[in-house]
Amino acid sequence: MESLEGHTAGAPKPDPVSTKQERIAALAKQSPGMAFTSLNHYLDLDWLLHACILTRKDGAVGVDGQTYDEYREDLFSHLESLLNRAKSGSYYAPPVRRVHIPKAGSITETRPIGIPTLEDKILQRAVVMVLEAIYEQDFHSGSYGFRPGRSPHQALDALRQTLMKWGGGWVLEVDIRKFFDTLDHSHLRELLQRRVRDGVLLRLIGKWLHAGVMEDGAIHYPEAGSPQGGVISPLLANVYLHYVLDEWFETEVKPRLRGSAQLIRYADDFVLVFTDESDARRVQAVLGLRFAKYGLTLHPDKTRLVRFRRPRSGPSPKPGTFDLLGFTLYWGRTMRGGWAVKTRTARSRLVRACKAINQWCRQNRHRPIPEQQATLVRKLLGHFRYYGRPGNYDAIARFRRLVVKMWHKWLSRRSWKSYLAWKKFQRLLTRHPLPLPRIVVRASLAGESLS
C-alpha cells in the first residue's frame, strides 16, 4: 500500500507546490486587473497529492460511500486518473449528499449541508489552492471568512478595535436571506471571469455548481446556490461578495460618505459601522437594491440599524446591542470604571447549544457513564474554545452549569426507579468530572482584558 507519508519523505521536488502558489500570487499582485487564461498546467500529480494531504480524512462520506482508507489502497493511480479526467473534461461531478443541521437561533429552521465525495473534495481543494493564490491578493482587509490565517475572533477584534477608536457609531447589522441557496450562477461566472478564464478550471466549477443534490434517495438539480459543505463553496462565496459588497463599498460608497465607515465580513455574516448617522441611513437605503441586482435578498426582520455610541453621563439614549458570529456586542464597564465594547455569547447561540446538549443527554442516557462523560467533555471544551473570549466567563460558566443540570436530569430518568439524588450525582461528578469554564481566546486589546 502506498502512503502519503512515504511520498512526502522522498527526495525534494524541483518545483514544490508552495513555490508555484507564490508564483501565481506574485503575478496576481503585479497585475490586479489581469484575467488568467492558463492555470491548469499547475495541476499535476504533486499538486493533487498536496490537495489530498490537506483533505480531511475522517469526514462524512459522499454518495459513493468511498472512504479514504479505501482510496489510498491505490492512491497514486487514483490521483493520476482523477487528474486526467479533470483536464480532459471527462470528470463527472457526482451529486452531493445533503443533510440538515439546526440553524442558529431557530427551533424549526435548518441549514442544508452538502457532502461531496472524497474525489470531489480532493479536486475542489486542488482548484481552491490555485484560486486562493490569486484572490488573496484582491480581497479586502475587512474580509475574514475562510481565508488563510484569519479567524472569526480576528474579525470580532477588528470590529471592537474600530468601535473603541471611534467611540462607537451607527452599526448596520445585515442578514442575507439564504445566501448559499440563492447565489446566482450566471452572475458568479461573470464575476469569476474578471480574474480567471482558464477553460479547465471554469468547466470544473460549472460542473460542481450544476451537480445534483441527493436527499432522501432522490436527486434534484437546483438552478442557483452553492452547497454548503463543499470545499470550494466558501471561496466562491467570498469571490461573489468581494465584488457585490466589499469592492463596491470600498471604491464607490466610502468616497461619497461624510464620515468614516468600516465593513467587517465573515463569509455572508457582516456588519457596517459608520460614524455619521446620515451615512448609515443612506447606505441602508441602497444596500437592498445593490444586492437585488445580483439576485440576493436582505432579511427584513434581521437587517437593522443600531445606535451604538459610547454611553455618556447625563440624559442620553441607551446604546443598543447587535450580534455577529455568535456573540452579542455591547458597551460595559471595565474594572477601572471606564467604558469598553464587550462580547458575550448571543442568546440564540446559547439556546441552540443547550437544546443540542439536552437532546444528546436524552438520547444517550442509557450509555455507560464514562462514555457519556467523555462526549460531554469534548462538547464543553469545543464550546470553551470558541466562546471563551475575555469578558465572557459568566456566559460560559452558565453554560457549564446548565450542562451539569441537564446531565443530572437525564441520568435520573434512565428508568422509572432510578432517580439520582443530587448528592449522589455530585459524587459521580467527582469520579467523572466535567471541565471547568476557562478563557481560551487571547485578549487582543487591553480594554477587554480588564472587563
Side-chain angles (χ1 to χ4, degrees):
M1 178 183 70
E2 294 177 287
S3 68
L4 295 181
E5 290 77 9
H7 183 83
T8 55
K13 306 172 188 64
D15 191 12
V17 170
S18 59
T19 303
K20 295 179 183 179
Q21 289 178 302
E22 290 170 3
R23 187 181 304 159
I24 299 170
L27 188 56
K29 187 173 183 179
Q30 178 184 338
S31 306
M34 183 185 73
F36 289 78
T37 57
S38 180
L39 288 166
N40 71 85
H41 64 276
Y42 290 105
L43 296 179
D44 55 19
L45 192 57
D46 282 335
W47 194 278
L48 250 63
L49 179 64
H50 193 75
C52 185
I53 293 172
L54 296 176
T55 300
R56 183 177 172 180
K57 311 300 188 298
D58 59 348
V61 298
V63 294
D64 61 357
Q66 187 173 53
T67 66
Y68 174 71
D69 287 338
E70 297 168 347
Y71 196 75
R72 71 173 181 177
E73 289 293 334
D74 196 7
L75 180 63
F76 295 109
S77 295
H78 284 140
L79 292 180
E80 193 166 9
S81 171
L82 178 61
L83 181 64
N84 291 335
R85 283 178 281 141
K87 291 200 173 187
S88 67
S90 63
Y91 179 77
Y92 164 72
V96 296
R97 183 169 65 87
R98 173 168 285 180
V99 297
H100 293 265
I101 63 173
K103 194 172 183 180
S106 174
I107 299 176
T108 57
E109 285 188 275
T110 60
R111 186 185 300 276
I113 298 293
I115 303 174
T117 63
L118 178 64
E119 277 202 334
D120 237 9
K121 293 176 183 177
I122 294 171
L123 192 53
Q124 286 188 27
R125 174 63 64 189
V127 172
V128 165
M129 287 160 53
V130 177
L131 299 183
E132 208 167 59
I134 298 171
Y135 286 107
E136 276 301 306
Q137 316 312 312
D138 297 352
F139 290 156
H140 291 281
S141 59
S143 170
Y144 288 86
F146 305 103
R147 293 181 58 189
R150 294 191 161 216
S151 71
H153 291 288
Q154 289 177 333
L156 290 166
D157 290 342
L159 174 60
R160 183 177 175 279
Q161 188 171 19
T162 296
L163 290 168
M164 292 287 288
K165 178 182 176 182
W166 292 350
W170 293 85
V171 177
L172 185 55
E173 185 181 5
V174 185
D175 184 271
I176 307 175
R177 189 194 295 268
K178 296 184 177 179
F179 170 70
F180 282 93
D181 292 336
T182 59
L183 190 146
D184 185 88
H185 292 171
S186 60
H187 285 307
L188 177 59
R189 282 193 295 269
E190 183 271 321
L191 296 173
L192 280 169
Q193 288 175 12
R194 296 186 186 184
R195 279 299 242 168
V196 178
R197 293 181 187 168
D198 181 281
V200 171
L201 268 60
L202 291 177
R203 183 169 60 235
L204 285 171
I205 292 172
K207 289 182 177 182
W208 288 320
L209 290 174
H210 292 97
V213 175
M214 178 177 286
E215 188 171 5
D216 298 326
I219 300 178
H220 65 279
Y221 297 89
E223 297 181 358
S226 177
Q228 296 180 71
V231 180
I232 201 165
S233 292
L235 179 59
L236 296 181
N238 270 340
V239 171
Y240 204 89
L241 289 176
H242 167 73
Y243 291 110
V244 174
L245 176 64
D246 304 358
E247 186 76 3
W248 169 75
F249 186 73
E250 292 295 330
T251 61
E252 297 186 36
V253 175
K254 286 177 72 172
R256 294 178 169 88
L257 300 180
R258 295 174 55 186
S260 300
Q262 179 70 43
L263 164 65
I264 299 293
R265 180 174 68 81
Y266 192 94
D268 61 328
D269 198 356
F270 69 95
V271 296
L272 299 163
V273 183
F274 303 86
T275 57
D276 186 271
E277 180 184 359
S278 63
D279 287 340
R281 297 196 180 278
R282 286 167 56 205
V283 174
Q284 183 181 23
V286 300
L287 192 61
L289 300 175
R290 173 67 181 180
F291 277 83
K293 181 179 177 181
Y294 290 90
L296 301 174
T297 307
L298 300 185
H299 198 298
D301 299 326
K302 299 179 181 179
T303 300
R304 64 194 184 103
L305 186 61
V306 179
R307 183 188 182 279
F308 198 75
R309 294 287 190 188
R310 178 187 286 122
R312 297 179 180 178
S313 57
S316 62
K318 184 180 178 180
T321 65
F322 65 96
D323 291 353
L324 182 68
L325 298 172
F327 289 89
T328 296
L329 283 84
Y330 66 101
W331 284 101
R333 290 285 190 182
T334 68
M335 292 176 63
R336 294 178 181 175
W339 289 103
V341 177
K342 298 187 175 186
T343 53
R344 63 170 178 256
T345 308
R347 184 179 182 277
S348 61
R349 292 297 182 93
L350 182 61
V351 169
R352 184 180 74 171
C354 288
K355 285 181 180 294
I357 292 288
N358 188 66
Q359 183 178 14
W360 187 91
C361 288
R362 178 176 64 84
Q363 293 174 343
N364 295 273
R365 63 186 184 273
H366 296 295
R367 293 182 177 274
I369 298 297
E371 186 178 319
Q372 292 188 48
Q373 182 242 8
T375 300
L376 289 174
V377 166
R378 289 195 297 272
K379 291 179 180 294
L380 278 168
L381 290 178
H383 189 90
F384 299 159
R385 276 193 294 271
Y386 187 75
Y387 291 103
R389 283 181 62 87
N392 197 38
Y393 183 86
D394 288 347
I396 61 175
R398 181 188 177 199
F399 178 68
R400 184 191 181 275
R401 289 195 301 271
L402 292 171
V403 170
V404 169
K405 289 181 179 180
M406 287 182 282
W407 196 22
H408 173 247
K409 167 188 170 182
W410 289 109
L411 286 180
S412 296
R413 299 184 182 184
R414 285 157 73 99
S415 70
W416 65 272
K417 58 180 180 179
S418 65
Y419 177 75
L420 183 61
W422 182 252
K423 287 186 177 180
K424 187 175 179 181
F425 177 67
Q426 292 286 51
R427 292 196 295 271
L428 182 148
L429 275 179
T430 302
R431 297 192 304 272
H432 306 283
L434 297 179
L436 296 174
R438 57 194 180 95
I439 300 301
V440 179
V441 182
R442 181 178 61 86
S444 63
L445 295 173
E448 189 162 16
S449 66
L450 296 173
S451 58

